Amino acid sequence: MDIGSDVPPLTPAGRRIVDAAEELFYERGITAVGVDLVAGHSGVTKRTLYNRFGSKDNLVAAYLAERDRRWRSAVHAAVDASGSAEEAVTAPFEALRSWTARYTRGCAFLNALAELPDPQRPGHRVAAEQKRWLLGLFEELATAAGCHGPATLATRLFVLHEGAVATAPLSLGTVAAAGDLARALVRAAVRR
C-alpha cells in the first residue's frame, strides 16, 4: 500500500498546513496541538484547514503520510547505494543513522501509535502501515540476498530497528550498535 496515493496534490495553503502540522505535532505531540494553533502557525484560517482536510484526524494522517513518503525515499536511497544484496538488507539502519541525526525527538510513527491507540483512527492506520512496510521490506531484501529464514531474520531486524528508533533520543549510541548487530545477523544468515 502506498500511503497517501489517493490524496490529491497539496495546494500552497495545504502544503503550509501540513508543514506547520508536522513541526507542531512532532515537537509538541498530536494530542497537545489543536487546529487553531496549526492554522495560526501556517497562516491560514481554521476554515481553510477544515476545507482541505476535513478534520484534525485527517490532518494527522496527512502529516504522517508525508513523513512516511520522506522516510521511504531515504530508505530506498540507502538500498540503492548499497554495494551488494547483503548490504542492502541493513540499508534501513544506514538511513536511520542520518534520519535520527535530523529528527531527535524519536519516531513520529511510534509517537503517533502511542497517542492514537484506536486502530480506526486514520493516523494510527498510517503509522501502523509504515511499520508493516518496513517489516516487509526487510523480508524482501533478506530474500533477495539469499538469507536463510528471511521471514525470521526480517522480524529480528525489525525489532532491532524499532528498538534503535525508540532509544535514539537517549544518545547512547544505540543506532550505531543496532546497525552493527544487524550486519552480524545478516552475515550469519547468508553463511548458512
Side-chain angles (χ1 to χ4, degrees), residues 20-187:
E22 176 167 12
E23 178 185 332
L24 293 167
F25 291 153
Y26 184 69
E27 291 301 322
R28 299 183 188 186
I30 293 168
T31 56
V33 173
V35 293
D36 289 328
L37 183 59
V38 175
H41 199 72
S42 62
V44 303
T45 64
K46 203 161 79 168
R47 180 177 178 175
T48 299
L49 186 149
Y50 280 115
N51 283 342
R52 174 58 183 95
F53 297 98
S55 68
K56 180 181 175 182
D57 275 344
N58 291 338
L59 177 58
V60 169
Y63 140 66
L64 291 168
E66 176 62 20
R67 195 168 186 96
D68 177 65
R69 183 194 60 74
R70 287 196 318 275
W71 168 243
R72 289 184 194 210
S73 178
V75 170
H76 285 302
V79 168
D80 292 345
S82 298
S84 68
E86 185 178 323
E87 286 179 17
V89 181
T90 59
F93 289 90
E94 294 307 313
L96 184 61
R97 199 181 289 245
S98 59
W99 187 269
T100 56
R102 181 173 180 201
Y103 300 105
T104 59
R105 194 178 171 274
C107 177
F109 306 105
L110 289 177
N111 295 345
L113 289 169
E115 289 194 68
L116 308 170
D118 180 356
Q120 299 307 310
R121 306 269 306 261
H124 180 100
R125 288 194 307 264
V126 172
E129 176 55 31
Q130 187 275 333
K131 298 303 179 185
R132 284 190 286 275
W133 169 81
L134 185 59
L135 176 60
L137 179 65
F138 277 129
E139 185 172 358
E140 177 185 318
L141 295 170
T143 300
C147 294
H148 175 74
T152 299
L153 177 61
T155 299
R156 290 174 179 163
L157 293 173
F158 177 74
V159 169
L160 185 58
H161 187 276
E162 293 307 294
V165 168
T167 58
L170 299 174
S171 301
L172 298 174
T174 55
V175 173
D180 292 342
L181 183 53
R183 284 184 287 282
L185 287 170
V186 170
R187 279 193 302 274

